[in-house]
Amino acid sequence: MTLVSTWFIIIAALWTGFFVLEGFDLGVGMLHDVVGHDETGRRMAINTIGPLWDGNEVWLVVAAAGMFSAFPGWYATMFSAFYMVFILLLVALIVRGVSFEFRGKVDTDRWRRTWDILLTVGSLLVPLLVGIGLGGLLQGVPIGKNQEFTGSLVDLLTPYGVFVGVTLVLLCILHGASFLALKTTGDLRTRATRLGGRIAPLTGLAVLAFAIWTHVASGRGVLPNLFEIIAVLAVIGAAWAIRDGHEGWSFLATTFAMATTVLSIFVELYPNVMVSSTSPAFNLTVHNTASGSYSLKVMTVIALVLLPIVVLYQGWTYHVFRQRLRTEDFQPAPTGPPGPDTKSDAAAPDSNGAQQAPPAATRPPT
């Protein structure tokens, strides 16, 4: 295997890693108001991803940086073509991140409801916009002979691209519901399980249609490939597991569904990296957009050193914050003078005004 093909696989793996890790916290962002029902529930849902969401977004930055370094021609044409889409994506990411920090700064219902709405909208736009971009790579956008985008914003909103975005949104919701059921207890866990069971059939139909449409869009017939078949089976498995209360298996199944769905786009795309709807002769491929061999060798060494460190650090983070969050950890502080038995166990309220749980091992992240 050549270095060019190796780096295409690395880029595909980075985008897949972004959706696998960021997918569930995007889903939690979309669902926190639906399954939360009250302020305690919403805070509990948000705190399941509190220590994780910013680290998950690193994969998006690394994927874009990898494309810039390994395939500068691909990066230049893609980011020129999807300029407005990526501007909206950047705004959605910023609004989403700010929502986590700001919703607890003012103790009024109107303030928190505003940031809840912005968090929901920002979390929905991210997979929708990235899906439109990934779908456009495969179905094609107007590209001229000099690898320049020759279309307009309307040319980017293809039916297939929009459908890829919608499919990723549904997968993120199912992924997020499985994660909430896995990480919480009490009523929130019950509501997340119920919602996951309801959204799973619709997600399964969307992934099945995506698998067939993706294979047709690539010009390789109707029958899906192995990745697309696994994606459909994984959603069916997730539906069965979450219905029977097997949250761990359900989360594992949605992880496979998300990974194989994203990977199938890159499998169908190769050796192209961006299809031209103007002429197949103008397609961007791994060979006519790649950096020189020396650059790829240096980048390979850097990737072999740094990627394992990033994976180990994130694995350690998930291990540290592996406990389920309990409803009682987010109840408001008791009123009245503290008794002699509770004084020694009391902890300072967090930035959102809720009482912290005393034991360090079960304390929720904030």
Side-chain angles (χ1 to χ4, degrees), residues 81-85 132 136 141 149 152-158 161-162:
F82 293 94
Y83 180 76
M84 287 305 299
V85 173
I132 290 173
V141 294
F149 176 67
S152 63
L153 181 62
V154 177
D155 297 313
L156 305 178
L157 301 177
T158 62
V162 174

Side-chain angles (χ1 to χ4, degrees), residues 241-293:
I242 200 168
R243 185 198 62 187
D244 289 0
H246 303 300
E247 292 99 350
W249 287 109
S250 172
F251 185 69
L252 183 63
T254 55
T255 298
F256 270 100
M258 182 67 80
T260 49
T261 296
V262 177
L263 276 177
S264 63
I265 294 177
F266 289 93
V267 170
E268 300 288 7
L269 192 61
Y270 185 83
N272 296 316
V273 294
M274 204 166 176
V275 174
S276 170
S277 60
T278 306
S279 169
F282 302 153
N283 286 355
L284 305 188
T285 70
V286 293
H287 301 291
N288 66 16
T289 60
S291 296
S293 59

Side-chain angles (χ1 to χ4, degrees), residues 54-78:
D54 48 356
N56 295 339
E57 289 186 357
V58 169
W59 289 76
L60 176 64
V61 177
V62 176
M67 290 176 64
F68 173 76
S69 304
F71 301 100
W74 180 14
Y75 178 91
T77 304
M78 180 177 175

